[in-house]
Amino acid sequence: MSVTASVVPTGRTSVRMFVGGEFVESTSARRGQVYNPSIGEPIAEVPFCTAAEVDGVVKAAHAAFPAWRDTPVVERARVMFRLVALLEKNAESIARLISLEHGKTHEESVGSVRRGIEMVEFACGIPTLTMGDTLHNIAVDVDCETYFHPLGVCVGITPFNFPFMVPLWMAPIAMTCGNPFVLKPSEKVPLSAMRLAELFAEAGLPAGVFNVVHGDKEAVDALLTHPLVQAVSFVGSTPIARYIYETSVQHGKRCQANGGAKNHILVMPDADMDKAVGALQASAFGCSGQRCMAGSLAVAIGAAADPLVEKLSASAARLKVGRTDVKSDAQMGPVVTRQHLEGLLSNIDRGVKEGAKLARDGRAVKVSDAPGGFYLGPTIFDHVAPEMHVSQAELFGPVLSVSRVSTLEEAIELTNRSPFGNGAVIYTRDGHAAREFKHRAGAGMIGINVGVPAPMAMFPFTGVKGSFFGDLHIQGKEGIAFYTQQRMILSRWHPDSHAGEFVTTRG
Ligand code: NAD
């Protein structure tokens, strides 16, 4: 697939910004490369926008605020109804673009578009979702009401692993609540965001309500410190999430910052082993392990360990790794960049040095029609001890660690020792064990007999500990609370408070 149209104009290589309804070339001298990870070759150049360019984008968004804030909420919602139709119509081509720049398989990319559509569908309900409360006659002639007021310019800073879906966790809700939005997508995968900008415009979103600026720390810092920015939503790794949260808050902004993860999947000896293996494989190796909800540490309890490792290794060996930029039967694609691949390889070396046993080594994988691609086959470490790096760190690739423990108690204790708290899962047929786990596991998203407790549009993404910084989570009703300010109005109207023409009496 070639990259054309709004994404990168024909005959050029540079991704543009989207400002005030126009695609605009950046003049920044600093640039990065966007790769097709399936073959390891650059496909476009992304500008690292300057602070002055960011200032221009924020001012364009701010200029759109008064008219958008005063646009009836049902009209704001109608833009999203039209966007849903456009996303449905273009889902296949959007998915191909995601696969091109990210490396997901086509099915995974289509799945991520579908999850994004669910967020837009949720935003279609904004008139009902933002109804306030009223209490008539709270005192004599006094009524009390609350309503949701927009904030002003909201910003989204997003990671590489879901280039189309994660912006949709934020922008539709922020915008239907009456706020203009500025997106700073990952500089590794900026093309999908440009397609989204084009689709918002086609859906009839007024100029300036959705904007895109590209770049790295310079652009991000300019957003976090800009006096016109009111709220910052972030999704990315834990150290950057902490930095974004602290900097935003120091500059008087609201912030919700989702970080990284090390999701533990507990497998009890009574679990349906075939189902657990299938789910664990999809969880650990889906999207080549580049998911914040990936099950990256399996905790095998008692007699579950031997069959689990044996069946997992056998089924991982059958996974077909290959190109995803063309039609193929690949079940797993590349990782996003060469640098990311090198990081994974060095973490595998470290795991071996620390004494973990490689039950399956994916380093030798060969994709014959794409020797330059960024490939790592599914890799499984067994006998991983809690103090090992591969037990503690988020590797963010197709590397699954397996720890062996004797009891559920020990497994929950191991789970709760993690500095992260995104997701935790149990596979069991024992209702009491599941119930114990549900209440005592220290993660925000709990799964019972599912590989991934995936975020759902109507519910908040409730990460905790090092996986989330802030108060109000992304998505669901918490997302709406984040992008609005609740106002309370107390009004008193006496019978004699009229201008004099009409006389009303009680009764
Ligand atoms: P990242 O933290 O490197 O980058 C995320 C964003 O921050 C990008 O837009 C990037 O340009 C920007 N950024 C990077 N360094 C910065 C700096 N020094 N100062 C300011 N901004 C900076 O994350 P990534 O590698 O793109 O994405 C993978 C990470 O995202 C993983 O840790 C994964 O777990 C996490 N993630 C979390 C969730 C969640 O909801 N919890 C969802 C998806 C991904």
Side-chain angles (χ1 to χ4, degrees):
M1 179 189 173
S2 60
V3 180
T4 54
S6 60
V7 171
V8 179
T10 314
R12 304 208 191 171
T13 56
S14 184
V15 183
R16 295 171 294 174
M17 303 181 284
F18 188 66
V19 192
E22 306 282 338
F23 289 97
V24 180
E25 205 76 53
S26 161
T27 57
S28 174
R30 292 196 310 119
R31 308 245 145 188
Q33 297 286 344
V34 183
Y35 281 86
N36 169 354
S38 285
I39 54 171
E41 286 185 10
I43 46 172
E45 201 179 75
V46 63
F48 293 159
C49 294
T50 62
E53 285 174 328
V54 170
D55 179 53
V57 178
V58 173
K59 284 183 174 148
H62 184 66
F65 181 41
W68 183 241
R69 176 191 57 204
D70 295 340
T71 300
V73 63
V74 287
E75 281 184 34
R76 288 189 232 133
R78 272 180 210 132
V79 174
M80 298 302 148
F81 278 105
R82 292 193 291 269
L83 183 66
V84 168
L86 286 170
L87 292 173
E88 295 282 2
K89 187 174 137 202
N90 293 285
E92 281 291 312
S93 64
I94 297 167
R96 284 198 296 276
L97 182 62
I98 296 170
S99 293
L100 176 71
E101 67 172 346
H102 177 277
K104 286 183 204 300
T105 65
H106 186 65
E107 291 68 30
E108 289 166 347
S109 293
V110 169
S112 76
V113 176
R114 293 236 65 84
R115 278 286 151 83
I117 290 174
E118 286 171 15
M119 272 315 295
V120 188
E121 287 169 340
F122 177 68
C124 290
I126 211 77
T128 317
L129 291 165
T130 50
M131 282 169 76
D133 295 320
T134 21
L135 192 55
H136 181 72
N137 226 32
I138 198 166
V140 175
D141 294 326
V142 175
D143 302 326
C144 190
E145 65 183 298
T146 56
Y147 79 99
F148 292 84
H149 196 72
L151 303 175
V153 179
C154 297
V155 162
I157 301 158
T158 52
F160 79 80
N161 65 321
F162 282 97
F164 200 79
M165 181 183 82
V166 173
L168 289 174
W169 288 358
M170 306 168 180
I173 292 295
M175 297 190 309
T176 47
C177 285
N179 305 291
F181 194 82
V182 177
L183 173 66
K184 204 303 285 172
S186 166
E187 65 280 24
K188 293 173 192 148
V189 290
L191 307 181
S192 306
M194 300 319 289
R195 184 75 182 110
L196 184 59
E198 187 178 57
L199 291 168
F200 271 130
E202 208 178 322
L205 191 71
V209 178
F210 181 77
N211 306 272
V212 185
V213 65
H214 300 286
D216 57 359
K217 184 168 165 42
E218 179 179 342
V220 171
D221 284 347
L223 289 167
L224 303 183
T225 57
H226 200 292
L228 292 176
V229 169
Q230 304 300 322
V232 176
S233 302
F234 174 85
V235 176
S237 61
T238 292
I240 310 299
R242 184 180 284 116
Y243 168 77
I244 300 280
Y245 180 74
E246 287 172 355
T247 312
S248 300
V249 170
Q250 273 162 20
H251 287 83
K253 289 137 196 10
R254 290 185 181 192
C255 184
Q256 48 180 197
N258 283 15
K262 189 83 180 177
N263 304 307
H264 291 49
I265 310 239
L266 278 56
V267 183
M268 293 278 285
D270 67 356
D272 178 328
M273 203 52 76
D274 289 334
K275 287 213 171 80
V277 166
L280 193 43
Q281 169 161 305
S283 177
F285 305 131
C287 297
S288 302
Q290 300 166 115
R291 277 195 297 194
C292 67
M293 293 307 296
S296 47
L297 188 87
V299 185
I301 299 162
D306 285 341
L308 182 72
V309 173
E310 204 176 291
K311 283 174 184 254
L312 259 177
S313 306
S315 94
R318 291 192 294 272
L319 266 182
K320 183 160 177 7
V321 180
R323 289 179 72 162
T324 58
D325 59 332
V326 289
K327 238 186 174 147
S328 80
D329 58 354
Q331 295 163 300
M332 199 177 107
V335 298
V336 71
T337 58
R338 181 174 308 286
Q339 194 190 15
H340 194 55
L341 176 62
E342 283 165 3
L344 288 165
L345 294 173
S346 98
N347 276 312
I348 295 173
D349 288 346
R350 185 164 171 181
V352 172
K353 276 197 200 103
E354 287 181 346
K357 294 224 156 30
L358 268 175
R360 169 158 175 88
D361 188 350
R363 289 176 292 184
V365 73
K366 289 269 174 295
V367 176
S368 55
D369 55 345
F374 309 139
Y375 296 99
L376 173 64
T379 298
I380 301 171
F381 274 119
D382 192 7
H383 296 283
V384 170
E387 63 283 1
M388 291 177 185
H389 185 68
V390 290
S391 167
Q392 293 173 7
E394 179 185 47
L395 309 185
F396 220 56
V399 183
L400 173 67
S401 295
V402 182
S403 284
R404 296 171 176 240
V405 298
S406 307
T407 61
L408 175 61
E409 191 66 31
E410 251 184 276
I412 293 176
E413 206 249 314
L414 180 66
T415 305
N416 292 354
R417 236 190 281 164
S418 171
F420 300 105
N422 237 20
V425 168
I426 190 165
Y427 258 87
T428 185
R429 286 188 172 104
D430 179 338
H432 182 68
R435 191 167 181 276
E436 277 294 289
F437 178 76
K438 182 168 90 175
H439 291 295
R440 291 177 44 213
M445 313 271 282
I446 301 292
I448 297 171
N449 295 330
V450 294
V452 176
M456 295 288 146
M458 319 81 199
F459 289 89
F461 189 135
T462 50
V464 291
K465 302 204 289 190
S467 298
F468 179 70
F469 302 87
D471 300 297
L472 292 167
H473 292 87
I474 293 176
Q475 295 191 309
K477 288 186 194 157
E478 286 197 28
I480 293 168
F482 180 78
Y483 289 122
T484 51
Q485 172 206 337
Q486 268 209 74
R487 288 202 174 167
M488 188 277 265
I489 296 116
L490 195 66
S491 39
R492 168 177 286 142
W493 293 102
H494 282 306
D496 59 357
S497 57
H498 58 87
E501 277 168 39
F502 305 104
V503 177
T504 55
T505 50
R506 287 186 203 285

